[in-house]
Amino acid sequence: MADMAGPIDAPEAPRSAESRLQQALTAARLYYVQGLTMESIARELRVSRSSVSRLIQHARDVGLVEIRVHAPHEHGASLEHEIRSRFHVTAHVVPAGAGVSEVDRLERVAMTAGRLVGEFFDSNMSLGVAWGSTIAAVSRHLPTRDTHGTTVVQLNGAGNTLTSGVGLASEILERFGTAFGADVQQFPVPAFFDDPRTKEAMWRERSTRRVLRIQDRLDIALFGLGSPLAAVPSRVYVGGYLERADYQSLREDRAVGDVSTVFFRADGTSEDIALNARGTGPAINRLRRIPRRICVVSGLPKLPAVRGALAAGVATDLVIDEALAQALVAD
């Protein structure tokens, strides 16, 4: 049947990116909010029906439209409710069947986390990002959205005796900066200092204090959880950051995981863990002062780390795969 709005193949006048964005927004509102058909929208906008379809797809691609499926009786929703009741965090449970590999499971969780960051992060806000395998995956699934007055800052250092860590951390930060048009602030220090006194001296330097002040004013923090047991290994445990003596020290201090290279125990405490005096991430009490703290985690081996992190109160939002969520509430 012919399109009543005009010939489908009729050429359209070129328009600017801003004009196309505005037209996409209008088409999306008419379609999703007012419930008009594509044919009706085409007549109103005086374009072809296929153009309306492309405009609506563009609105979804650039983050103007977010599709959600609310199924209150499904298992995931009940898990989210139970996690919220027991641990006082907002849970986002990601479906992933038993046949899904750990790598694919991480990608699904990362996709959900990327959409959430796009939803939460807005103009005149600052976002702290911890480098690592999980957040690297999240950075590949960010929506593209223009913001102004925004800053993305690295939460912890990435260097060690084998590498400066600049490549990994800067690649992750650059993806966030590009997605949101934000300024990027790197934190060019080691992941762990050899001597706590060196860290204390470095923390007195004006260049370091400038980054620390930005971290103290963050609106959002985004991080994964480190665990030596994960199928997708945490970089801090496989990237040459820790030596044999460090592992022995962590065993003696009963550490079960880390957030931004700050270690914690199963009961959520982190005081007197020796390695934390050399780490460069924000201490747990500093992290808890950030209004929104998004923890992204997948894989059953990370269960002890998740429990410890929740006991420490480091997260306000938990993005977690379904199998891990089930294990979390099983006891």
Side-chain angles (χ1 to χ4, degrees):
M1 179 180 292
D3 193 327
M4 298 302 294
I8 291 178
D9 297 326
E12 298 178 24
R15 54 180 181 266
S16 67
E18 183 177 356
S19 172
R20 184 174 187 231
L21 193 65
Q22 183 57 51
Q23 198 166 30
L25 177 59
T26 300
R29 282 175 170 163
L30 293 173
Y31 185 72
Y32 290 109
V33 180
Q34 298 187 20
L36 271 63
T37 65
M38 289 194 185
E39 186 173 347
S40 298
I41 298 169
R43 283 198 298 267
E44 182 166 333
L45 299 183
R46 302 178 67 84
V47 298
S48 68
R49 183 172 175 175
S50 59
S51 294
V52 173
S53 178
R54 287 194 294 270
L55 286 169
I56 291 173
Q57 184 61 50
H58 182 62
R60 293 175 60 179
D61 290 343
V62 300
L64 295 176
V65 173
E66 180 178 319
I67 306 298
R68 290 187 177 185
V69 177
H70 293 280
H73 301 297
E74 286 189 358
H75 193 208
S78 64
L79 283 172
E80 291 174 352
H81 177 75
E82 186 168 358
I83 291 172
R84 184 183 185 93
S85 298
R86 291 178 57 177
F87 301 103
H88 310 292
V89 297
T90 300
H92 309 269
V93 176
V94 180
V100 178
S101 71
E102 290 301 322
V103 173
D104 288 340
R105 192 178 301 273
L106 171 60
E107 285 299 308
R108 293 189 187 185
V109 170
M111 288 177 66
T112 298
R115 288 196 297 270
L116 283 174
V117 173
E119 180 180 326
F120 296 149
F121 191 47
D122 208 344
S123 294
N124 302 311
M125 295 180 71
S126 55
L127 168 68
V129 174
W131 58 268
S133 302
T134 297
I135 305 306
V138 174
S139 72
R140 295 191 293 268
H141 296 288
L142 296 169
T144 300
R145 188 160 61 84
D146 287 333
T147 64
H148 59 83
T150 50
T151 302
V152 176
V153 63
Q154 184 178 337
L155 280 179
N156 53 315
N160 62 16
T161 57
L162 302 178
T163 174
S164 67
V166 170
L168 168 66
S170 62
E171 182 179 355
I172 294 171
L173 290 170
E174 189 61 31
R175 287 176 184 156
F176 279 88
T178 299
F180 301 112
D183 291 332
V184 170
Q185 295 288 336
Q186 293 186 330
F187 196 24
V189 296
F192 300 97
F193 285 96
D194 290 335
D195 190 321
R197 292 171 296 182
T198 308
K199 173 185 170 180
E200 292 170 5
M202 190 68 179
W203 259 225
R204 291 193 294 268
E205 290 293 321
R206 285 181 297 172
S207 60
T208 304
R209 290 196 340 247
R210 180 183 64 81
V211 178
L212 294 174
R213 283 195 297 269
I214 297 173
Q215 292 179 355
D216 284 335
R217 298 192 299 269
L218 290 175
D219 298 290
I220 303 173
L222 177 68
F223 50 86
L225 294 178
S227 170
L229 304 174
V232 181
S234 305
R235 285 185 183 268
V236 104
Y237 299 96
V238 298
Y241 291 92
L242 300 176
E243 298 180 352
R244 182 174 299 178
D246 296 325
Y247 284 105
Q248 179 62 33
S249 176
L250 290 173
R251 283 192 294 270
E252 291 173 357
D253 288 333
R254 307 188 317 281
V256 297
D258 77 278
V259 51
S260 304
T261 61
V262 175
F263 296 88
F264 50 82
R265 303 181 182 90
D267 62 1
T269 60
S270 57
E271 295 77 10
D272 302 321
I273 293 180
L275 201 55
N276 286 346
R278 294 164 42 206
T280 53
I284 299 296
N285 60 347
R286 281 184 68 211
L287 189 61
R288 283 196 295 251
R289 291 198 290 265
I290 300 170
R292 187 181 291 275
R293 307 178 299 278
I294 308 170
C295 177
V296 187
V297 60
S298 70
L300 285 174
K302 288 197 174 181
L303 180 59
V306 176
R307 286 177 171 159
L310 292 176
V314 299
T316 60
D317 291 81
L318 178 67
V319 187
I320 185 171
D321 73 85
E322 189 171 4
L324 183 53
Q326 287 174 328
L328 181 61
V329 300
D331 59 354

